[in-house]
Amino acid sequence: MKNKKNLILHLLSIMILCVGYVSTRYVFFDLHGMQGWPLVLFICGLIIICISLIFKGRQTPIFTALAYSAGFATGVIFQTTGLDAGGGRTNNLWMIWTVVFVCFSLASILTDLFAIRKIQ
């Protein structure tokens, strides 16, 4: 029964991550103009969730899936656009998105690790 609940939790998390990917990559494309970076973060999220399934993580899949969209939203809110020394346009949305995604994911992994150690 526990394994079934764990599998359902991870599948729901993957579905949430997929919805986040499709919406950021295609629906909100005009906000960021990135083609490859949403996919890179999506694949990282899938890998994290799959590893979490193996180790029976409870917090990691949820927070990783939500971190994808939360990181994007944070990036859109706090992004700045400027010019580099050569006159090219720069934008830091991708950096903010990545930092939020990685921090949320790492925090959830650490939470699961401490919970597992506490149980043992």
Side-chain angles (χ1 to χ4, degrees):
M1 188 67 163
K2 250 186 175 183
N3 287 336
K4 187 175 180 180
K5 283 184 181 180
N6 191 35
L7 182 62
I8 290 171
L9 173 72
H10 283 78
L11 289 176
L12 285 173
S13 297
I14 288 172
M15 287 174 44
I16 292 169
L17 183 65
C18 288
V19 168
Y21 171 71
V22 169
S23 62
T24 55
R25 172 61 179 91
Y26 298 104
V27 177
F28 300 121
F29 181 76
D30 292 337
L31 291 175
H32 57 81
M34 293 180 275
Q35 294 179 352
W37 198 244
L39 181 62
V40 169
L41 290 180
F42 173 74
I43 291 171
C44 289
L46 277 178
I47 291 169
I48 292 169
I49 291 172
C50 288
I51 292 171
S52 171
L53 177 63
I54 294 168
F55 291 103
K56 297 181 175 103
R58 297 186 59 106
Q59 305 297 321
T60 302
I62 297 166
F63 280 98
T64 299
L66 294 176
Y68 187 88
S69 297
F72 178 75
T74 305
V76 168
I77 292 168
F78 295 108
Q79 70 179 324
T80 56
T81 302
L83 296 174
D84 65 6
R89 196 181 128 220
T90 62
N91 188 299
N92 65 349
L93 184 147
W94 69 275
M95 287 186 268
I96 296 168
W97 185 4
T98 303
V99 167
V100 170
F101 178 74
V102 168
C103 288
F104 269 68
S105 297
L106 285 177
S108 64
I109 290 167
L110 290 175
T111 302
D112 275 341
L113 287 174
F114 287 129
I116 289 170
R117 285 190 139 189
K118 192 174 186 178
I119 291 171
Q120 295 175 353

